Amino acid sequence: MVGTLLAATEEFRPFWQPLPVWDYWYLLLLPLCVGISIVYKSIKCREMKQVPREATVIFSMILLGMLAAAGGLYVLMRLLER
Amino acid sequence: MSAPRNPTFLPPPPLVALASWLIPGAGYWLIGQRVRGLVIGVTILLLFAVGLLIGGIRVVDSPLMESVEQRTERLNEEAIALRNNSSYRPPTLPVRALQKPWFIGQVLAGPVSLVTNYIGVTWGGDRGVPFSHARVNEIGVLYTAVAGMLNLMAIIDAAYRSSNEGGR
């Protein structure tokens, strides 16, 4: 796994070719959620010092929501497979 | 820290909105909310840049700019369609824009999206920079379009604050 990743990284040209993360694409949703949380709470909060705490809370909620949705869909798929 | 610089001399909302589109976060900077502007601007530009890093710069694909190869292919397809059906009319620019709706989100991130698109179609010869495919392309498009949509929220909020003496 690490060898494959290293081989792909050696040929990788940033911005010209896609990032060689074919098997880990779902982890790329985490920085997106962090960015959305920060911008949303920066717009919403009256004082900027509230932002780190509020953004952490909403990021956790998004993460839990996505995990719950994934778990629910997994169970539904298993039930439909029977 | 986030209080307006001078409530009586805030710039007009259209100017704040334009500044926010040109440089994400600049609208807040103009109305004196510099920390807010810096945090929002840096985060939006980072999301856009990470999207380009994930999917390559061709994730920004607009109907306004095409590589030589794309234009040749499109004109050939239109010529064939016209030969087969004399009443055929080539799609207009708005119709072509609706065929790539994600660009509407991407362009809201500012001129950086247009510059990226220009580089994508002009560098790398007639074909332009190669397209990415599958999941990484989708995630790259998602990052860049979400960055643009977040900037739209920031544009509206900064313009509203400038008309409301810096408050919400």
Side-chain angles (χ1 to χ4, degrees), chain B residues 114-130:
Chain B
L114 299 173
V115 172
T116 305
N117 192 211
Y118 179 76
I119 291 171
V121 296
T122 52
W123 292 12
D126 285 355
R127 290 187 66 192
V129 176

Side-chain angles (χ1 to χ4, degrees), chain A residues 12 14-19 21-22 25 28-29 31-32 35-36 38-40 42-49, chain B residues 1-2 28 36 39-40 43 49 52-54 56-57 129-130 132 135-136 139 142-143 146 153-154 157 161 168:
Chain A
F12 171 60
F15 299 103
W16 198 270
Q17 293 169 326
L19 203 64
V21 286
W22 319 103
W25 61 266
L28 297 174
L29 294 174
L32 182 65
I36 291 171
I38 292 171
V39 174
Y40 178 69
S42 297
I43 289 171
K44 201 88 175 152
C45 289
R46 188 175 289 272
E47 294 292 329
M48 281 305 287
K49 58 187 169 200
Chain B
M1 182 168 63
S2 55
Y28 290 108
R36 200 184 303 273
V39 169
I40 290 175
T43 311
L52 299 183
L53 183 68
I54 292 169
I57 59 171
V129 176
S132 56
R135 202 74 77 180
V136 280
I139 293 184
L142 185 69
Y143 265 79
V146 165
M153 281 171 57
D157 185 54
R161 283 173 193 260
R168 293 191 78 222

Side-chain angles (χ1 to χ4, degrees), chain A residues 1-77:
Chain A
M1 187 182 79
V2 177
T4 317
L5 200 64
L6 282 175
T9 314
E10 277 172 23
E11 296 166 17
F12 171 60
R13 292 173 70 189
F15 299 103
W16 198 270
Q17 293 169 326
L19 203 64
V21 286
W22 319 103
D23 299 330
Y24 312 101
W25 61 266
Y26 49 88
L27 294 176
L28 297 174
L29 294 174
L30 297 178
L32 182 65
C33 293
V34 172
I36 291 171
S37 307
I38 292 171
V39 174
Y40 178 69
K41 282 299 173 185
S42 297
I43 289 171
K44 201 88 175 152
C45 289
R46 188 175 289 272
E47 294 292 329
M48 281 305 287
K49 58 187 169 200
Q50 296 173 301
V51 172
R53 189 179 166 277
E54 294 281 330
T56 309
V57 170
I58 197 171
F59 170 68
S60 312
M61 283 167 66
I62 294 171
L63 208 61
L64 287 173
M66 286 202 302
L67 286 172
L73 287 170
Y74 179 78
V75 170
L76 186 69
M77 201 185 73

